[in-house]
Amino acid sequence: MLFAVRMDVDLPLDMDPGERADTLARERVYSQKLQHAGKWPHIWRLVGQYSNLSILDVEDNEELHDILSNLPLFPHMAIEVTALVRHPSDITIAGRG
């Protein structure tokens, strides 16, 4: 199942710099592990914002929930999820391109 996931990060201004650095480092390792596993095939930064738009490829809603809720930045995020399906005009669908 494919999902478009927008993640807006809002770290507290008074967050301890060491805690901030540790959280960001753990977030990078976690997200890159998922990218290497094929669960997180696309991630884009939204220009001028501390936000990203990602495509996640998971088995079901529960797996998506587990992945997102285990993000180290999860407590500091607003997340919007949109389920995706292939468009019938997509030329990459077998037999069309």
Side-chain angles (χ1 to χ4, degrees):
M1 297 178 73
L2 294 175
F3 293 90
V5 182
R6 178 182 173 141
M7 299 176 224
D8 300 311
V9 180
D10 187 19
L11 292 173
L13 296 175
D14 62 349
M15 186 177 210
D16 176 77
E19 180 184 355
R20 177 186 174 101
D22 176 66
T23 302
L24 293 174
R26 289 184 297 111
E27 180 83 9
R28 177 180 298 261
V29 169
Y30 181 70
S31 68
Q32 289 180 349
K33 178 182 172 187
L34 291 164
Q35 290 172 61
H36 287 293
K39 295 293 180 179
W40 197 327
H42 300 282
I43 182 170
W44 294 277
R45 171 75 68 210
L46 299 179
V47 176
Q49 301 173 50
Y50 196 178
S51 305
N52 74 72
L53 180 64
S54 295
I55 303 298
L56 281 88
D57 188 357
V58 295
E59 293 299 318
D60 53 31
N61 294 339
E62 186 174 346
E63 183 181 19
L64 178 65
H65 178 78
D66 289 344
I67 286 171
L68 296 177
S69 63
N70 282 299
L71 288 164
L73 285 172
F74 180 77
H76 309 290
M77 288 182 170
I79 298 174
E80 181 180 317
V81 176
T82 304
L84 302 173
V85 295
R86 295 267 181 215
H87 193 283
S89 296
D90 183 347
I91 64 170
T92 63
I93 295 175
R96 297 216 181 164

